[in-house]
Amino acid sequence: MKAALKFTVVLLSLSLVSGLQFNYVDDIEEEQQPVKDESKYGSLWPLPQKIQISEISFKLTSVSFRIVDGKDSSAGPSCSLLKDAYRRYYEYMFGSAKKRSLSKSRRTGPSELTELQVWITSPDSECDGYPSVTSDESYELSVDQPYAVLKAPKVWGALHGLETFSQLVYEDEYGAKSINATQISDFPRFAHRGILLDTSRHYLPIKVILANLETMAMNKINVFHWHIVDDQSFPYLSRMFPQLSQQGAYHPYTHIYTPADVKMVIEFARLRGIRVIPEFDTPGHTQSWGKGQKDLLTPCYSGSSPSGTFGPVNPILNTTYDFMSQFFKEISTVFPDDYVHLGGDEVDFTCWKSNPDIQDFMAQHGFGKDYSKLESFYIQKLLNIVTSTNKGYMIWQEVFDNGVKLKADTIIHVWKGNQQQYQNEMANVTSAGYQTLLSTPWYLNRISYGQDWRSHYKADPQDFHGTEAQKKLVIGGEACLWGEYVDGTNLTPRLWPRASAVAERLWSAKEVTDINDAFNRLSLHRCRMVERGIPAEPLFSSFCPHEYRGV
């Protein structure tokens, strides 16, 4: 994927006083001036499906409030996932305040809320499992006296309900915590709500990845699409092929993800209800692979002689498929999710066309001069390899466009074109019966001055001509942050709160489109992320009660 930067036009005026001086004039469109008002939904983000908020309020104090398992919850006291979440959200709501035992003489006031009971209602809580595309993420939340009740069939819905409860808590001018009587019934509109991070163009430290997983959970994002390797570097340390990162990473020791690192990311994500889907893109985007795996890439020719450069994966050698079979067998054991992303985009045929051995192979197989058929030949073999590991696969849209034979459960990831083009692609993919994801309007590496989150918020993955059956094949979308100009120094503020706009579009009801109400809620949500230590960039001129203080 190429990350194209979008710049606003600035006016330059030159002065010859003491040499040249450049005066930059801000170009702020009048339509971007936000309407500042208070939303009746406070700071809730993403907006729940059904919500009723009363004017009756209750006090909360760090001394008396606690989060506990409901009496008949199927999760029980042994569910470490929930216990970890209780501690996390208690600290979000009360900071570093320590919970103390209540003395027998102390009595809570009639307007004080002292307990949130969490009930897992399904016999199988999935406490020790991994979230999947079919996970039940629904929950119901009732805030009333004598206590608040959060009910969810599975732990994944409970995690979302805890986030919502924490968002309902607010401070008065003296810093006292309150919450209003509230009734919420909530579930996501789409099952797949993802963010792609690119760790090849620039290495992202584990600390940065974990911080953004934490922020994804705050926004009810449930998929981390880990674009872990690419042309530029191969930071994934393979147990079976350690030479791939030894030769292909920026540095073989400091800029790699060890098996322990990967395991930590997967478990940290699981505890927040987030799936980790790795992407190992082939046959293109593989220059770093070739540094550690001999004969994997195609030798390019200049005339009748090798040029010394290499192109995509060599699709005509049996050794290529032997390697891929072993490599993806390892990947299937390392990453527990049901799916792996296989890429398949932007394959440059120039090198293949120059290679005489490939020319002969094309002739023998009757491919003529159509190199997309050679690409399809390779992809089909790769898909069979991945199928043998009992994994489903996701692929970029080019694989579908080139007519490769795909399994019925293949997920097609749409990323190309303008609005009309991606809408046509969504219609074509779903009319062929395949599930699909949308990313085209959500390339967050494309930046502009001003409130570009608005365009992200307005894009809808079901906005194309098609039947209701086709629309149901859209399982969600992903915001993508490609890494050519992004590393640990600027990733988080570039991502948030812009990705929050995508999060609400993928969670909330289709009818939730009021841009002014969204601005008012998102401004408060952004300040909440800042208070929780996330350097989310501002939406417009404003301030937060608890400003970001750095690290």
Side-chain angles (χ1 to χ4, degrees):
M1 304 295 135
K2 294 183 178 178
L5 289 180
K6 174 182 167 188
F7 292 97
T8 55
V9 177
V10 296
L11 302 178
L12 301 180
S13 64
L14 301 180
S15 172
L16 297 179
V17 180
S18 300
L20 292 176
Q21 292 180 334
F22 293 88
N23 297 318
Y24 294 86
V25 179
D26 293 340
D27 180 21
I28 306 175
E29 296 179 18
E30 186 175 348
E31 67 177 11
Q32 288 189 331
Q33 304 297 326
V35 178
K36 295 184 179 180
D37 200 359
E38 194 171 316
S39 171
K40 65 179 180 180
Y41 302 114
S43 64
L44 288 175
W45 196 277
L47 193 67
Q49 298 285 339
K50 297 179 182 178
I51 178 169
Q52 290 181 326
I53 302 178
S54 165
E55 293 184 1
I56 301 172
S57 65
F58 312 116
K59 299 295 184 186
L60 293 89
T61 69
S62 61
V63 174
S64 62
F65 183 78
R66 60 184 189 149
I67 307 173
V68 299
D69 294 319
K71 181 180 178 181
D72 295 323
S73 173
S74 65
S78 62
C79 182
S80 59
L81 179 147
L82 285 180
K83 293 298 182 290
D84 181 75
Y86 297 168
R87 288 191 295 269
R88 187 164 69 249
Y89 280 100
Y90 179 89
E91 191 163 313
Y92 279 159
M93 290 183 284
F94 299 108
S96 58
K98 300 297 182 183
K99 184 167 62 177
R100 299 189 296 273
S101 298
L102 291 172
S103 65
K104 292 183 179 179
S105 61
R106 188 187 186 283
R107 295 181 180 179
T108 59
S111 63
E112 188 172 343
L113 189 71
T114 60
E115 197 167 271
L116 169 61
Q117 296 184 0
V118 180
W119 299 66
I120 306 301
T121 58
S122 172
D124 179 10
S125 68
E126 298 185 3
C127 183
D128 298 320
Y130 290 91
S132 72
V133 72
T134 59
S135 290
D136 189 335
E137 298 178 277
S138 65
Y139 68 92
E140 293 185 354
L141 177 62
S142 173
V143 180
D144 206 343
Q145 286 194 320
Y147 42 75
V149 176
L150 168 60
K151 291 187 176 181
K154 307 289 184 179
V155 293
W156 319 119
L159 291 173
H160 296 316
L162 287 166
E163 174 61 37
T164 298
F165 183 88
S166 74
Q167 293 184 6
L168 289 168
V169 177
Y170 59 92
E171 287 185 356
D172 64 19
E173 58 184 314
Y174 303 106
K177 307 284 186 178
S178 298
I179 189 169
N180 284 29
T182 304
Q183 299 291 325
I184 290 176
S185 179
D186 201 12
F187 54 89
R189 180 181 169 204
F190 293 104
H192 187 118
R193 308 176 306 282
I195 286 179
L196 177 150
L197 297 182
D198 172 8
T199 58
S200 172
R201 276 55 178 246
H202 284 95
Y203 175 83
L204 296 178
I206 289 293
K207 180 180 178 181
V208 173
I209 294 175
L210 298 185
N212 279 278
L213 286 169
E214 190 80 57
T215 317
M216 289 179 203
M218 296 176 196
N219 290 270
K220 298 185 173 68
I221 294 287
N222 69 344
V223 175
F224 170 34
H225 177 168
W226 194 351
H227 188 86
I228 193 166
V229 302
D230 209 293
D231 280 330
Q232 290 78 5
S233 72
F234 197 105
Y236 171 76
L237 175 54
S238 166
R239 286 191 176 95
M240 192 169 294
F241 301 99
Q243 72 276 11
L244 289 170
S245 61
Q246 287 173 1
Q247 302 297 321
Y250 285 131
H251 190 283
Y253 305 118
T254 61
H255 286 61
I256 60 169
Y257 301 107
T258 66
D261 291 333
V262 173
K263 187 175 182 179
M264 181 194 304
V265 167
I266 292 171
E267 179 62 10
F268 191 92
R270 186 189 77 85
L271 291 174
R272 287 152 182 81
I274 299 171
R275 303 162 58 200
V276 179
I277 298 179
E279 179 182 352
F280 291 92
D281 190 359
T282 66
H285 293 276
T286 48
Q287 289 298 299
S288 65
W289 299 54
K291 294 177 181 178
Q293 186 64 24
K294 185 180 178 182
D295 298 329
L296 181 64
L297 302 186
T298 304
C300 305
Y301 276 68
S302 178
S304 59
S305 303
S307 65
T309 61
F310 295 87
V313 165
N314 192 332
I316 70 172
L317 300 180
N318 290 333
T319 53
T320 292
Y321 303 103
D322 293 338
F323 163 78
M324 291 296 175
S325 181
Q326 295 179 68
F327 181 76
F328 280 100
K329 184 177 181 181
E330 174 186 322
I331 296 305
S332 71
T333 62
V334 171
F335 292 90
D337 198 81
D338 294 332
Y339 283 85
V340 60
H341 203 301
L342 299 177
D345 65 305
E346 295 183 323
V347 182
D348 187 344
F349 298 150
T350 305
C351 183
W352 282 352
K353 291 178 179 179
S354 75
N355 186 294
D357 293 332
I358 287 187
Q359 293 170 10
D360 292 343
F361 185 89
M362 293 279 290
Q364 292 168 12
H365 286 76
F367 293 162
K369 300 295 184 181
D370 187 354
Y371 284 82
S372 66
K373 291 183 178 179
L374 180 60
E375 178 188 13
S376 296
F377 174 86
Y378 166 81
I379 292 288
Q380 186 58 64
K381 281 183 168 290
L382 181 66
L383 299 184
N384 291 338
I385 287 170
V386 173
T387 299
S388 72
T389 68
N390 295 317
K391 291 286 188 185
Y393 47 77
M394 301 166 57
I395 43 88
W396 295 110
Q397 69 182 75
E398 287 95 323
V399 179
F400 168 80
D401 294 341
N402 290 339
V404 176
K405 184 180 178 181
L406 302 170
K407 289 193 305 177
D409 65 346
T410 300
I411 298 174
I412 314 295
H413 198 162
V414 175
W415 73 276
K416 295 176 70 175
N418 57 31
Q419 182 176 7
Q420 185 62 56
Q421 289 169 330
Y422 78 68
Q423 288 175 339
N424 289 342
E425 184 77 7
M426 297 288 282
N428 292 338
V429 170
T430 54
S431 66
Y434 293 111
Q435 293 182 317
T436 184
L437 293 169
L438 179 64
S439 281
T440 312
W442 297 321
Y443 264 40
L444 301 188
N445 46 279
R446 298 181 181 134
I447 58 175
S448 63
Y449 191 79
Q451 299 191 66
D452 59 354
W453 69 271
R454 292 178 172 223
S455 62
H456 306 322
Y457 190 78
K458 293 176 182 177
D460 192 297
Q462 289 184 332
D463 186 13
F464 62 89
H465 294 296
T467 64
E468 284 305 306
Q470 285 179 254
K471 302 291 178 75
K472 289 180 180 178
L473 290 171
V474 180
I475 63 170
E478 291 183 357
C480 300
L481 190 59
W482 298 98
E484 285 87 347
Y485 303 97
V486 176
D487 67 4
T489 66
N490 65 342
L491 180 143
T492 304
R494 185 166 293 190
L495 188 59
W496 307 103
R498 297 161 75 230
S500 301
V502 184
E504 177 151 296
R505 180 55 51 236
L506 295 175
W507 179 281
S508 303
K510 186 174 184 178
E511 296 73 29
V512 177
T513 56
D514 187 330
I515 201 77
N516 288 323
D517 184 72
F519 172 82
N520 295 314
R521 287 184 292 108
L522 186 54
S523 296
L524 296 174
H525 180 54
R526 178 255 168 181
C527 283
R528 177 169 45 239
M529 289 190 282
V530 167
E531 184 179 0
R532 293 180 181 182
I534 303 300
E537 69 179 18
L539 297 176
F540 199 65
S541 303
S542 63
F543 76 98
C544 291
H546 304 274
E547 295 288 2
Y548 183 70
R549 303 298 181 185
V551 292

